[in-house]
Amino acid sequence: MDRIAIIDLGSNSIRFIVMQIGEQGSYKLIYQEKKSIRLAEGMTQETRLLTEEAQERALKCLTVYAHIIEVQKVKKVLAVATAAVRNAVNGASFLKRVHMTTGISMTIISGRAEAALGFSGVIHTIDRKDFLLFDLGGASVEISLVKNKKRLHSVSIPYGAVTLTEMFQSSGTVSQSKLTEMKKFIQAKLDKITWFPDTPLPVIGVGGTVRNLAKVHQRSTGYPLPKLHNYNLPSEDLFEMVKDITSKTFEERQRISGLSSERADIIIAGALTVQEIIRKAKSSYLTISGCGLREGLFFHYYDPIYDKDGDKRQHMLINSVKNYLHTVTGEYAFHSRYVTALALSMFDQWKHVHGLSSRMRTLLMAAGFLHDAGSMINYYNHARHSAYIAANAHIFGWSQKEQVMCSLLCAFHHGFSGKYTKNNEASKILSEEEMLDVRKAALFLALAEGLDESQEQCITQVICTSAKDAMDLRIYTSRNNFDVPAHATGHLLREFEKVFRVPLRVQWFPGSRNANKLVQTARKL
Amino acid sequence: MDRIAIIDLGSNSIRFIVMQIGEQGSYKLIYQEKKSIRLAEGMTQETRLLTEEAQERALKCLTVYAHIIEVQKVKKVLAVATAAVRNAVNGASFLKRVHMTTGISMTIISGRAEAALGFSGVIHTIDRKDFLLFDLGGASVEISLVKNKKRLHSVSIPYGAVTLTEMFQSSGTVSQSKLTEMKKFIQAKLDKITWFPDTPLPVIGVGGTVRNLAKVHQRSTGYPLPKLHNYNLPSEDLFEMVKDITSKTFEERQRISGLSSERADIIIAGALTVQEIIRKAKSSYLTISGCGLREGLFFHYYDPIYDKDGDKRQHMLINSVKNYLHTVTGEYAFHSRYVTALALSMFDQWKHVHGLSSRMRTLLMAAGFLHDAGSMINYYNHARHSAYIAANAHIFGWSQKEQVMCSLLCAFHHGFSGKYTKNNEASKILSEEEMLDVRKAALFLALAEGLDESQEQCITQVICTSAKDAMDLRIYTSRNNFDVPAHATGHLLREFEKVFRVPLRVQWFPGSRNANKLVQTARKL
C-alpha cells in the first residue's frame, strides 16, 4: 500500500491531498485540505516580490501538511508551486525557506508544465475528446486546445484572478468603464493566441473561479445534485450571472448564495476572464472540472507504474467503477459480473427493439457491477443503498445525468419503483424520454438479477427475439427445474409490457447441457 | 466464516434468511426472502388438515430455499414450523414430505417455544426493559409479559389473522354486528390470561399485521423514514385506523396506501386482534418490532458460541455499531476511537453545563465510531455519507429518533450545517429542543475531530471548566506546536457561542509530557 501526498501551492490557494494506492493499483483519496492563503497578494508587477506576510501564511500551512505527511506515513510527496512563485523574483529563495522549515521539496513548474498537468487531471476524469481547456488560477491562466484526447497547443498567460484584481483595483465596486477596460485587456491577451479555434468548441474550465460560478448557478436554479465536477453551465446563464456579479458592491457580492465570501473581492476579475474565454470559443456552455493539476500530478506518478499500456484510461467509466469497488471490497462478487453479462446479452440481442444507445449499454454495465454494493450498508433496501453509492462514489467518466441514470438502474434492479422516483430529487434532472430509457435498461438488469437469484450462475444462455406483438425470451438453465428464477422474474412481466408496449413471452429450457457462455463472458468483464 | 440459514414456516407466510458470521463474531444478513403462501388456508377447525394446495405452495418455496442453501454453502439450517403445522393433524407427515422433497429437516415448535424465540428476537434488537410483547401470526398469537428484560409469562392462543378470518368469514365487507362478535371472541381469549397486567404497559408487536398497520400509518402521516423496526404508533391513531379499515369493502382496503394487497382479506381479523390487545394493556402506543422469531432462532445459535457471557447483549447500541463496522471494514481506524474518547471526555467534564442525558452520551459514542464510515463511499462529503450510513445501517438498540440524532451527529462532525438540516427530511421528526441537544453534542465531536485532524493522537488531555461568562478548554498536546489542531477547530468557536450562549476560551499547552490518558481510554472503548 502506497500513500502519495500532493501539494499544489497556487497564487490564491494551497491544496493538499493524500491518495492511497492499494491492491491491483486501486486508488482512493483519503485526505484533502484547502486553504486560501493568497500568496500572490501584494506582489506588484513592478516589485514582483512575495511579501513576508504571504510567505508566512504559506509556511504555516505547509508546516501543518508536513506534519500530516509524517503521521500518515506518506511514501512520496509531489509538491509544486505555480505562477506566484514562478513570477516572483524571490520565488527560489522562498522555496529554500520552505525546505528548511518543513522539509518539503517543492518544485516550481513552468506554465507549460502546469497546462500539461491540468490537462492530464481533466482527461483522466472527464470522458471527452475535443474541447478547449482553461485553468484559471490566482496569477495565471493556462489554455489548451484538445483534439481526440491529445493536447495540441497550450499557452500560459501570466494574469489571474488575484493579479488582475490588484492591477485594476477591482475588489470593491467597479465602474462600467473599468469593466470595459478589464474586458479589453483580457480580450487582447486572448487575441494573441494564434491557434485559438474559429469554430465553436465546448469549453472545460478548472479552478476556484469556475467552481464558484457553478455553485452560484446551482443554488440559483435549485439544482438537486451537490456535485460540481462535470457540471454544465449554459453560456447564456453565465453571461447573466457575470452581469449581475459585476454590478454589485463588495458587500452585496459577499451575500450571493454559493459564492465563497473569501472570493467576493477577486470574483469580478475571475468572472470576466471566464466570460471572455467562453465568448471567444463560442461555446454554448461551460463544463466545470473539479479535477486538474493535483489529479494530473497523481496520474503522472500512477500511470507509469499501474497503467503502463493506458488500458485504464481507455474505458474510463467502467475502469473507474472497478477501481471504486476494489477500494471497498477488495474483490466484487462474481454474481455481479454474471448478472452484468446476462443483462448485456439481453440488451445486445434486443438492440433493434429497444433502440437504446451504446452509452446506455455502458451505464447498464456500470450498474451491473454496482448493483449489490449497497449491501455493505444494509441488505434490507440494498437496491436503494446501491443507488446512493452510485450517486455519490468517487467514480469518473460519466456526465452528471449519466450518473443519475446509473444510480436509478441500481435502484430498480429488483424492478421499477414509482415511489422511489418521486422521492428522488436527482431524478428530476432527467427528461421523460430519458426516464423511459432508464426503465427499459433497468428491466434487463432486473431480469438478469432474478435469473441469478440463487447466485449459482445456472443460466447457460438466453435467446432474445421479437415478434410483431410480443418479445420472446428463451432461457436455458443447467438445473432440472426453474422454480427459483421463474419465482424471481415473474413480477417483472407487467413492467415489461408497460415499458415495451408488448408482452414478454418466457420459455424455459431446463437441463441444458450447453457450455455456459455467460460465465465465460462474465469472467472477461 | 459461517453461514446460517433460517426458515420460519408460518401459517400465512414463509420467511427465509441467510446470516453470515465473520471475524470476531461479527454477523450480517446476506439474503432474505419472504412469500405469502397461506399454509393455514382451508384448514378448518373441524378437519384440521393442511390442504394439498397449501402443502404444494409451501413445498415449491422450500425447494427454492433448499437450492439456495446448497449454492450459498450454508453450514447450518434452522428450520421451524409454527401454528399451522402444529395444529394440523397431518403436520408431521407434511414435514416428512418436506424432508423427502427438499432435504430440509424442519421442527415443529410449541407455542411456548415460539413465544420464547420471538421474545429473544425482540430483546436482542430493541433496548427496552418492561413491556408486553405479542407476535400475531396467521394461526396463533403469542403474548408475553417482560419485566427487566426477562420473560415472566407467556401464552400462545391458537387463533391468528388467517384462522380468525376463515372462522368469521371476514375477508370481504364485514357488518357492525360481526365486528362486535369478533371483538368479543378476542376479548374472551385475552380475558383468560391470568397474569395480564392491570397497570398500563408499553406494547411491542411482531408480525405482518402490525408491520402493515405501521406502514399505513407512516404513509398517512408522511413519516419521512422508511423504517418499521422500533416505530411507535400512537394508540389513538391505531384505533382510528382500525375503525377506517373495518368499515371498508375488500376492494377499498386493497387501495389503502401502505397495505399489502395480499393482506386486504385478513387485515380485519388482524387489526381487531391488535386493537384489543392494546386496549387491554392500556398502552398509549404500539411499538413495532421488525425482528422476532427468525432473529430469535439466530441468536439461539449465536449466543452460546459468540456471546457466552452476554456482554454483547448488555450495551446493545454500541455493540451493534461495532458489529456493523466489523462487517464492513474488518477493523475500524484507531482515529475513530480516539476521537470518541476525546468527545466523551469533554461531554463528561462539561456535564453540568450542557445538561445532556446519558443517552445522548451513548449516541455521541456511536457517532464517534461511525463518523468516518462514509469515507468508504467517498472521502469528499464523507460526513454526509457517514450520516447516510448511520441512518440506514443494520444497527440495533436505538429508537428511530435516536438513530436520526446519531446520523446528524455524524453529518455535523466538521461543524453544524443549516443547509444539510433543511434538506434532510428525517431531521423533521426532531423537536427544536432535540435539535439543539444534537448541535451541542455535535460540537464535542467536531472539536474532537479537529483536535485529531492529523490523526496522530497527540492531544494527551483536555480540561474543561466553565466560568460565569465563558467556557474554558485547556488542551495539552505532546507536540511542540499546535498549528494543526488550532487550524482545524478555529471555525467552531462561532457555533459554540451560538449553542452554549457563552464563548469558548481555548488555551494550548504544547510539549506536554503527561501520559496520554485519552489513548488509554480509547483502547478500552
Side-chain angles (χ1 to χ4, degrees):
Chain A
M1 195 193 67
D2 277 5
R3 285 186 174 174
I4 322 295
I6 290 158
I7 301 173
D8 163 16
L9 177 58
S11 312
N12 181 47
S13 49
I14 179 164
R15 301 177 137 259
F16 173 59
I17 60 173
V18 181
M19 301 289 289
Q20 179 170 301
I21 306 177
E23 274 176 63
Q24 299 181 48
S26 68
Y27 60 89
K28 65 174 173 183
L29 177 73
I30 61 162
Y31 195 85
Q32 83 110 14
E33 246 283 322
K34 187 204 140 187
K35 199 95 187 165
S36 167
I37 49 136
R38 296 283 171 94
L39 190 63
E41 199 169 77
M43 189 172 90
T44 59
Q45 286 289 85
E46 292 74 41
T47 64
R48 297 207 293 140
L49 276 170
L50 298 171
T51 68
E52 180 57 26
E53 295 75 28
Q55 289 185 48
E56 271 168 19
R57 287 195 297 271
L59 278 169
K60 194 169 172 190
C61 230
L62 288 165
T63 307
V64 169
Y65 298 163
H67 187 185
I68 294 172
I69 284 167
E70 186 198 327
V71 175
Q72 292 283 340
K73 299 184 181 62
V74 166
K75 185 184 152 186
K76 177 108 192 148
V77 180
L78 307 167
V80 299
T82 56
V85 181
R86 181 164 72 224
N87 298 342
V89 290
N90 59 345
S93 72
F94 167 65
L95 291 198
K96 265 186 205 144
R97 197 173 158 195
V98 167
H99 188 246
M100 294 279 286
T101 318
T102 67
I104 295 172
S105 301
M106 193 166 264
T107 315
I108 300 179
I109 53 169
S110 66
R112 189 160 290 271
E114 194 176 346
L117 289 165
F119 162 73
S120 174
V122 170
I123 210 70
H124 276 87
T125 60
I126 295 186
D127 203 0
R128 291 261 199 99
K129 281 186 174 162
D130 306 308
F131 52 92
L132 189 83
L133 171 67
F134 75 90
D135 183 347
L136 173 58
S140 73
V141 50
E142 283 67 44
I143 305 182
S144 302
L145 181 64
V146 180
K147 290 271 183 192
N148 205 18
K149 298 204 172 194
K150 300 264 176 272
R151 194 169 47 100
L152 294 191
H153 300 283
S154 283
V155 65
S156 178
I157 303 174
Y159 297 91
V162 176
T163 47
L164 283 172
T165 301
E166 300 214 331
M167 193 173 157
F168 287 94
Q169 301 190 309
S170 62
S171 63
T173 309
V174 183
S175 69
Q176 207 54 47
S177 62
K178 175 74 72 70
L179 289 174
T180 311
E181 199 188 325
M182 289 175 81
K183 271 188 228 170
K184 282 202 174 135
F185 181 86
I186 298 161
Q187 282 163 3
K189 298 291 167 194
L190 295 176
D191 286 344
K192 280 189 187 156
I193 304 172
T194 51
W195 46 260
F196 207 105
D198 281 334
T199 47
L201 200 62
V203 176
I204 299 182
V206 179
T209 301
V210 291
R211 280 200 308 276
N212 253 268
L213 290 172
K215 214 167 175 181
V216 172
H217 188 255
Q218 291 187 341
R219 289 280 172 90
S220 72
T221 57
Y223 192 69
L225 312 189
K227 194 184 168 180
L228 292 173
H229 187 68
N230 220 344
Y231 179 68
N232 293 328
L233 202 173
S235 304
E236 294 286 318
D237 293 8
L238 174 72
F239 299 156
E240 274 302 312
M241 276 165 55
V242 176
K243 205 168 147 187
D244 181 60
I245 288 169
T246 53
S247 69
K248 282 188 154 65
T249 65
F250 175 74
E251 288 71 26
E252 286 169 342
R253 295 199 298 273
Q254 281 194 309
R255 287 194 298 269
I256 297 177
S257 174
L259 188 68
S260 156
S261 60
E262 276 173 346
R263 202 172 276 277
D265 53 350
I266 60 170
I267 191 65
I268 290 191
L272 284 177
T273 308
V274 174
Q275 172 175 274
E276 294 313 311
I277 294 171
I278 302 292
R279 237 182 214 148
K280 195 169 165 67
K282 307 181 195 79
S283 178
S284 56
Y285 60 94
L286 162 67
T287 300
I288 281 75
S289 173
C291 299
L293 180 55
R294 287 170 304 158
E295 288 75 12
L297 276 165
F298 172 72
F299 289 111
H300 186 69
Y301 171 86
Y302 179 91
D303 284 350
I305 307 173
Y306 299 99
D307 192 24
K308 277 190 208 87
D309 45 13
D311 272 2
K312 293 185 181 176
R313 275 161 283 174
Q314 279 298 318
H315 304 284
M316 191 189 295
L317 175 56
I318 295 305
N319 281 313
S320 186
V321 167
K322 286 182 181 174
N323 178 73
Y324 171 71
L325 288 170
H326 275 299
T327 65
V328 284
T329 56
E331 185 64 65
Y332 39 96
F334 188 68
H335 163 77
S336 293
R337 282 206 257 176
Y338 177 80
V339 163
T340 307
L342 243 170
L344 293 178
S345 175
M346 289 185 255
F347 185 100
D348 293 341
Q349 293 181 63
W350 272 322
K351 200 168 167 40
H352 62 289
V353 186
H354 58 67
L356 297 170
S357 68
S358 68
R359 194 58 193 163
M360 185 56 100
R361 186 184 191 278
T362 307
L363 295 179
L364 179 60
M365 191 168 172
F369 287 150
L370 287 165
H371 81 277
D372 274 347
S375 297
M376 72 184 170
I377 296 173
N378 198 334
Y379 181 86
Y380 285 110
N381 294 320
H382 71 265
R384 196 160 56 79
H385 307 320
S386 300
Y388 182 88
I389 290 173
N392 289 286
H394 208 52
I395 292 171
F396 297 112
W398 47 22
S399 71
Q400 296 203 357
K401 269 198 176 189
E402 288 171 346
Q403 185 165 10
V404 170
M405 286 177 172
C406 181
S407 170
L408 289 172
L409 291 176
C410 289
F412 302 154
H413 84 259
H414 295 125
F416 172 72
S417 161
K419 191 182 154 220
Y420 179 85
T421 313
K422 208 182 127 197
N423 292 330
N424 184 262
E425 280 301 310
S427 66
K428 296 184 173 89
I429 71 170
L430 303 185
S431 68
E432 267 182 50
E433 289 78 28
E434 285 163 336
M435 186 53 95
L436 183 62
D437 286 354
V438 167
R439 288 176 72 168
K440 284 180 181 171
L443 266 172
F444 303 134
L445 183 58
L447 279 170
E449 168 74 0
L451 291 177
D452 198 38
E453 170 80 2
S454 62
Q455 309 211 352
E456 56 167 335
Q457 291 87 52
C458 65
I459 307 297
T460 57
Q461 201 182 356
V462 286
I463 303 208
C464 313
T465 53
S466 66
K468 206 181 139 201
D469 52 355
M471 285 162 78
D472 288 288
L473 179 60
R474 284 185 285 159
I475 302 165
Y476 294 81
T477 165
S478 57
R479 300 283 304 189
N480 289 321
N481 72 69
F482 45 88
D483 285 348
V484 187
H487 181 94
T489 50
H491 69 287
L492 298 168
L493 298 179
R494 228 177 90 188
E495 165 75 359
F496 203 97
E497 189 158 359
K498 212 172 201 173
V499 165
F500 288 104
R501 310 277 179 114
V502 289
L504 178 69
R505 291 187 298 222
V506 179
Q507 269 183 286
W508 295 94
F509 298 88
S512 153
R513 293 286 157 264
N514 298 343
N516 197 324
K517 283 189 202 165
L518 288 163
V519 164
Q520 291 163 19
T521 311
R523 285 217 180 93
K524 287 181 218 145
L525 285 180
Chain B
M1 196 192 67
D2 277 4
R3 286 186 174 174
I4 322 296
I6 290 158
I7 301 173
D8 163 16
L9 178 58
S11 312
N12 181 48
S13 48
I14 179 164
R15 299 177 139 260
F16 174 58
I17 60 174
V18 181
M19 301 289 289
Q20 180 170 300
I21 305 177
E23 273 177 62
Q24 299 180 50
S26 67
Y27 61 88
K28 65 175 174 183
L29 176 74
I30 61 163
Y31 195 86
Q32 82 107 13
E33 246 282 323
K34 187 205 141 185
K35 199 98 187 163
S36 167
I37 48 136
R38 298 282 171 95
L39 190 62
E41 200 170 77
M43 189 171 90
T44 60
Q45 286 288 87
E46 292 74 41
T47 63
R48 295 206 294 136
L49 276 169
L50 298 170
T51 67
E52 179 57 28
E53 295 75 26
Q55 289 185 48
E56 269 168 20
R57 287 194 298 271
L59 279 169
K60 195 170 172 188
C61 231
L62 287 165
T63 307
V64 170
Y65 298 162
H67 186 186
I68 294 171
I69 284 168
E70 184 198 326
V71 175
Q72 293 282 340
K73 298 183 182 61
V74 166
K75 185 185 152 186
K76 177 105 192 149
V77 180
L78 306 168
V80 298
T82 56
V85 180
R86 183 164 70 224
N87 298 341
V89 290
N90 59 345
S93 73
F94 168 65
L95 290 197
K96 265 186 206 146
R97 195 172 159 195
V98 166
H99 188 248
M100 295 279 287
T101 320
T102 68
I104 295 171
S105 301
M106 195 166 263
T107 315
I108 299 179
I109 54 169
S110 66
R112 190 160 290 269
E114 193 176 349
L117 289 165
F119 163 73
S120 174
V122 170
I123 209 71
H124 276 87
T125 59
I126 295 185
D127 203 357
R128 290 259 199 100
K129 281 185 173 161
D130 306 307
F131 53 92
L132 189 84
L133 171 68
F134 74 90
D135 182 348
L136 174 57
S140 73
V141 51
E142 283 67 43
I143 305 182
S144 303
L145 180 65
V146 180
K147 290 271 183 190
N148 205 19
K149 298 205 172 194
K150 301 265 176 271
R151 196 167 47 99
L152 294 192
H153 301 283
S154 283
V155 65
S156 178
I157 303 174
Y159 297 91
V162 176
T163 46
L164 283 173
T165 302
E166 300 213 333
M167 194 173 155
F168 287 94
Q169 301 191 310
S170 62
S171 63
T173 308
V174 183
S175 69
Q176 206 54 45
S177 63
K178 175 74 74 65
L179 289 173
T180 310
E181 197 188 327
M182 289 174 83
K183 270 188 229 171
K184 284 202 173 138
F185 181 85
I186 298 162
Q187 283 163 1
K189 298 290 166 198
L190 295 175
D191 286 344
K192 281 189 187 156
I193 304 173
T194 51
W195 47 261
F196 208 105
D198 280 334
T199 47
L201 200 62
V203 176
I204 299 182
V206 178
T209 301
V210 291
R211 281 200 308 277
N212 252 269
L213 290 172
K215 214 167 176 180
V216 172
H217 188 252
Q218 291 187 340
R219 290 279 172 90
S220 71
T221 57
Y223 191 69
L225 311 188
K227 195 184 166 179
L228 292 173
H229 187 68
N230 222 343
Y231 179 67
N232 292 329
L233 202 174
S235 303
E236 293 288 316
D237 293 8
L238 175 72
F239 299 155
E240 274 302 313
M241 277 166 57
V242 175
K243 206 169 147 188
D244 181 60
I245 288 169
T246 53
S247 68
K248 282 186 153 69
T249 65
F250 175 75
E251 287 72 24
E252 285 168 344
R253 293 199 300 274
Q254 279 194 311
R255 288 194 298 269
I256 296 176
S257 174
L259 188 69
S260 156
S261 59
E262 277 174 345
R263 203 172 276 277
D265 52 351
I266 59 171
I267 190 67
I268 290 191
L272 284 178
T273 308
V274 174
Q275 171 175 275
E276 293 314 310
I277 294 172
I278 301 292
R279 241 188 209 144
K280 196 169 165 65
K282 307 182 197 74
S283 178
S284 56
Y285 60 93
L286 162 67
T287 300
I288 281 75
S289 173
C291 300
L293 180 56
R294 286 169 305 158
E295 288 75 13
L297 277 165
F298 172 72
F299 289 111
H300 186 70
Y301 172 85
Y302 180 90
D303 284 350
I305 307 173
Y306 299 99
D307 191 23
K308 276 190 210 86
D309 44 13
D311 272 2
K312 294 186 180 174
R313 276 160 282 172
Q314 279 300 316
H315 305 284
M316 192 189 294
L317 175 56
I318 296 304
N319 281 313
S320 185
V321 167
K322 286 182 181 174
N323 178 74
Y324 170 70
L325 288 169
H326 275 300
T327 64
V328 283
T329 58
E331 185 65 63
Y332 39 98
F334 188 67
H335 162 76
S336 293
R337 281 205 257 176
Y338 177 78
V339 163
T340 307
L342 244 170
L344 293 179
S345 174
M346 290 185 256
F347 185 98
D348 294 340
Q349 294 182 63
W350 272 322
K351 199 166 169 38
H352 62 289
V353 186
H354 59 66
L356 297 170
S357 69
S358 68
R359 194 59 193 162
M360 186 57 100
R361 187 184 191 277
T362 307
L363 294 179
L364 179 59
M365 190 168 171
F369 287 150
L370 287 165
H371 81 277
D372 274 346
S375 298
M376 71 183 172
I377 296 173
N378 199 333
Y379 181 86
Y380 285 110
N381 295 319
H382 71 265
R384 195 159 56 78
H385 307 320
S386 300
Y388 182 87
I389 290 172
N392 289 286
H394 208 53
I395 293 171
F396 296 112
W398 47 21
S399 72
Q400 296 203 356
K401 270 200 174 184
E402 289 171 346
Q403 184 165 12
V404 170
M405 287 177 171
C406 181
S407 170
L408 289 172
L409 291 176
C410 290
F412 302 154
H413 84 260
H414 295 125
F416 172 73
S417 162
K419 192 182 154 221
Y420 180 85
T421 314
K422 208 182 126 196
N423 293 331
N424 184 260
E425 281 300 311
S427 65
K428 294 181 175 91
I429 73 169
L430 302 185
S431 68
E432 268 180 48
E433 290 76 30
E434 286 163 335
M435 185 54 97
L436 184 63
D437 286 354
V438 167
R439 287 175 72 168
K440 284 180 181 169
L443 266 172
F444 304 134
L445 183 58
L447 279 170
E449 167 76 0
L451 290 178
D452 198 37
E453 170 80 1
S454 62
Q455 309 210 353
E456 54 167 335
Q457 291 87 53
C458 66
I459 307 297
T460 57
Q461 202 182 354
V462 286
I463 303 213
C464 312
T465 53
S466 67
K468 207 183 136 199
D469 53 354
M471 285 163 78
D472 288 289
L473 180 60
R474 284 185 286 158
I475 301 165
Y476 294 81
T477 164
S478 57
R479 301 281 306 188
N480 288 321
N481 72 67
F482 45 89
D483 285 350
V484 187
H487 181 93
T489 51
H491 70 285
L492 298 169
L493 298 179
R494 228 177 89 189
E495 165 75 358
F496 203 96
E497 189 159 358
K498 214 175 202 168
V499 166
F500 289 103
R501 309 277 179 116
V502 289
L504 179 69
R505 292 187 298 221
V506 179
Q507 268 184 287
W508 296 93
F509 298 89
S512 154
R513 294 285 158 266
N514 298 343
N516 197 323
K517 285 188 203 165
L518 289 163
V519 164
Q520 290 162 19
T521 311
R523 284 215 183 95
K524 287 180 219 144
L525 285 179

